[in-house]
């Protein structure tokens, strides 16, 4: 009860800077680079042990209970200095099976300060294949997770992707997922849900290399309010 009560109050003290960007653009890696540069970071996906998409399981790592997730979230929020911004990714209300507390989501979405990470499609595709290499190594797991898209994309499309996965064309499937599933609704969803998205400042990443991320983190911190 104490954690729930605190979670109702704590977010109001925090000035979130929301990192937006299409799937595979390096948002999570940028969060890590910002943390490495001394910034305050709220990594909701890390706390939830899930990447937030239909493919987002973390191999060998079960998600915590809702109560454990909220307790861990409270511990992180309570440590932040309210005089300094907190960087967070533009998550949806659910991360895997877990719900992000409404007060946290509302505070994130109301923030007028958004950053838009931009990366060329080739770089995004490379990052996705790197981050989800475990799916390339386990085609049947990849196919089972793709079943979760049947309601949205249709059985015929999903079965074609599954055939390509079993044939080893992992990069081709990720490329199609970007174009057909992830990207089309992205702008609309961001504009509808995040108040600061329309005026978001671009953060350009050529790729997900440590050098590119460190340079981007330095730029972001120089512009932070």
């Amino acid at each position: 009860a104490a954690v729930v009560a605190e979670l109702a109050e704590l977010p109001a003290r925090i000035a979130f800077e929301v990192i937006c960007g299409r799937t595979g653009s390096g948002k999570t890696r940028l969060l890590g680079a910002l943390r490495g540069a001394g910034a305050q970071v709220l990594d909701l996906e890390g706390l939830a042990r899930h990447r937030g998409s239909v493919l987002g399981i973390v191999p060998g790592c079960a998600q915590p209970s809702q109560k454990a997730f909220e307790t861990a979230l409270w511990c992180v929020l309570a440590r932040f200095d309210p005089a300094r911004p907190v960087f967070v990714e533009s998550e949806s209300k659910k991360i895997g099976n877990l719900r992000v507390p409404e007060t946290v989501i509302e505070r994130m979405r109301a923030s007028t300060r958004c950053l838009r990470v931009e990366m060329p499609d080739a770089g995004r595709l490379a990052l996705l294949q790197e981050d989800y290499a475990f799916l390339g190594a386990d085609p049947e797991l990849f196919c089972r997770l793709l079943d979760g898209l049947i309601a949205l994309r249709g059985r015929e499309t999903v079965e074609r992707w599954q055939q390509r996965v079993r044939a080893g064309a992992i990069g081709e499937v990720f490329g199609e997922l970007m174009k057909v599933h992830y990207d089309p609704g992205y702008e609309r969803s961001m504009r509808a849900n995040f108040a600061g998205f329309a005026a978001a400042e671009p953060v350009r990443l050529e790729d997900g290399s440590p050098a590119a991320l460190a340079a981007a983190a330095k730029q972001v911190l120089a512009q932070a309010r």
Side-chain angles (χ1 to χ4, degrees):
V3 168
V4 173
E6 285 277 335
L7 282 175
E9 303 291 333
L10 273 175
R13 302 175 207 162
I14 292 171
F16 283 119
E17 299 218 4
V18 183
I19 296 178
C20 307
R22 293 172 185 256
T23 298
S25 60
K27 300 185 296 295
T28 302
R29 293 188 185 205
L30 180 57
L31 274 188
L34 284 163
R35 179 184 277 138
Q40 297 190 129
V41 165
L42 175 59
D43 181 4
L44 289 167
E45 291 182 4
L47 294 175
R49 296 182 213 147
H50 197 281
R51 292 180 186 272
S53 72
V54 72
L55 304 177
I57 63 166
V58 177
C61 198
Q63 287 196 267
S65 67
Q66 182 69 32
K67 186 175 180 181
F69 171 63
E70 290 180 1
T71 301
L73 176 57
W74 168 74
C75 287
V76 174
L77 292 176
R79 286 199 298 267
F80 288 141
D81 174 359
R84 295 169 57 217
V86 172
F87 294 91
V88 67
E89 211 174 310
S90 55
E91 302 292 350
S92 56
K93 292 182 177 183
K94 282 194 81 180
I95 303 177
N97 296 319
L98 298 174
R99 295 181 315 282
V100 181
E102 201 67 32
T103 49
V104 176
I105 281 287
E106 284 174 3
R107 185 70 173 164
M108 286 164 53
R109 291 184 170 183
S111 173
T112 56
R113 176 81 171 145
C114 286
L115 305 165
R116 184 201 299 241
V117 183
E118 297 175 353
M119 184 185 286
D121 284 352
R124 292 172 59 206
L125 185 53
L127 266 196
L128 282 171
Q129 288 183 264
E130 203 174 298
D131 285 346
Y132 292 97
F134 68 95
L135 293 179
D138 190 346
E140 289 310 310
L141 172 61
F142 197 171
C143 288
R144 285 200 301 278
L145 292 173
L146 286 170
D147 279 337
L149 293 177
I150 289 172
L152 283 171
R153 302 296 157 215
R155 184 170 295 280
E156 190 179 330
T157 297
V158 170
E159 286 180 351
R160 181 169 54 77
W161 287 338
Q162 290 168 330
Q163 286 169 3
R164 300 306 296 145
V165 166
R166 291 186 176 110
I170 303 296
E172 182 185 310
V173 173
F174 273 121
E176 277 205 44
L177 283 168
M178 275 165 47
K179 282 191 223 129
V180 175
H181 177 63
Y182 288 117
D183 289 358
Y186 167 74
E187 294 273 336
R188 184 173 65 251
S189 171
M190 289 294 107
R191 285 180 190 280
N193 289 309
F194 289 88
F197 182 76
E201 293 178 30
V203 179
R204 294 189 174 86
L205 282 169
E206 276 310 305
D207 52 43
S209 67
L213 289 161
K218 189 175 176 182
Q219 173 202 333
V220 167
L221 289 176
Q223 296 171 345
R225 291 173 193 163

